[in-house]
Amino acid sequence: MSRIGKKPVDLPSGVTATVSGQTIEVKGSKGTLSFTATDDVTLTLGDNVITVTPRGSSKRARQQWGMSRTVIANLVTGVSDGFKKELEINGVGYRAAMQGNTLKLSLGYSHEVNFEVPDGVTVTAPKQTEIVVEGADAQLVGQVAANIREWRKPEPYKGKGIKYKDEYIFRKEGKKK
């Protein structure tokens, strides 16, 4: 039995959902998102409550049960509140700036890195050493933040690079004299 799958997803005020077959569409103040579940689960919409139940007791049906419920909960959270990832830049001369729809990163390379921001996500640079990625789709926000971080991952000796704001960098000791 899935402990997560058993919990129903409550719809907050201002959020509406429609279920047609295996597809659920959620609308809110931040936009519209949809998800198509596999045939292993059944989606039902009650009075402001979405429930997910497995079809059968196969291993795949039980796996899809909890996963589908979590994805639907993320859709509801995304269209009502949105998701946010904060990145921090550490290093001498490392900086970020937004220029139109492009994030310009100076990361110690011989050239400036130009990162095109995809649709559905807003990226801001409130300071030269901070980047904020916001959007309604949890997967897309996380992927964009990971793609930005990929340009210069934090290194363990001085901690230089792009890291998540709440990330802990395990530090190593340098060479002994």
Side-chain angles (χ1 to χ4, degrees), residues 4-121:
I4 292 173
K6 281 192 270 186
K7 296 178 184 174
V9 179
D10 295 323
L11 294 176
S13 61
V15 175
T16 58
T18 54
V19 176
S20 59
Q22 292 299 101
T23 303
I24 184 165
E25 190 173 281
V26 184
K27 294 179 184 174
S29 62
K30 301 265 183 189
T32 304
L33 295 173
S34 63
F35 168 68
T36 304
T38 60
D39 292 331
D40 298 312
V41 295
T42 306
L43 306 175
T44 54
L45 177 62
D47 45 291
N48 284 343
V49 172
I50 302 166
T51 54
V52 181
T53 52
R55 292 182 185 167
S57 60
S58 67
K59 183 174 183 179
R60 180 167 163 77
R62 288 182 282 127
Q63 290 170 342
Q64 295 296 320
W65 184 19
M67 192 271 308
S68 298
R69 190 260 176 215
T70 303
V71 170
I72 292 168
N74 280 346
L75 295 183
V76 171
T77 304
V79 297
S80 59
D81 301 330
F83 290 96
K84 180 179 182 180
K85 291 270 187 185
E86 295 179 353
L87 299 165
E88 234 174 46
I89 301 175
N90 295 321
V92 177
Y94 289 12
R95 59 183 49 95
M98 281 302 295
Q99 199 171 62
N101 197 32
T102 305
L103 178 67
K104 299 228 181 246
L105 299 167
S106 299
L107 299 172
Y109 295 120
S110 60
H111 60 282
E112 218 175 42
V113 175
N114 295 327
F115 183 81
E116 291 293 328
V117 179
D119 294 337
V121 177

Side-chain angles (χ1 to χ4, degrees), residues 90-91 154-163 169 171:
N90 295 321
E155 53 97 15
Y157 295 101
K158 291 185 180 177
K160 291 168 60 172
I162 302 173
K163 71 178 191 83
I169 306 300
R171 291 299 189 70

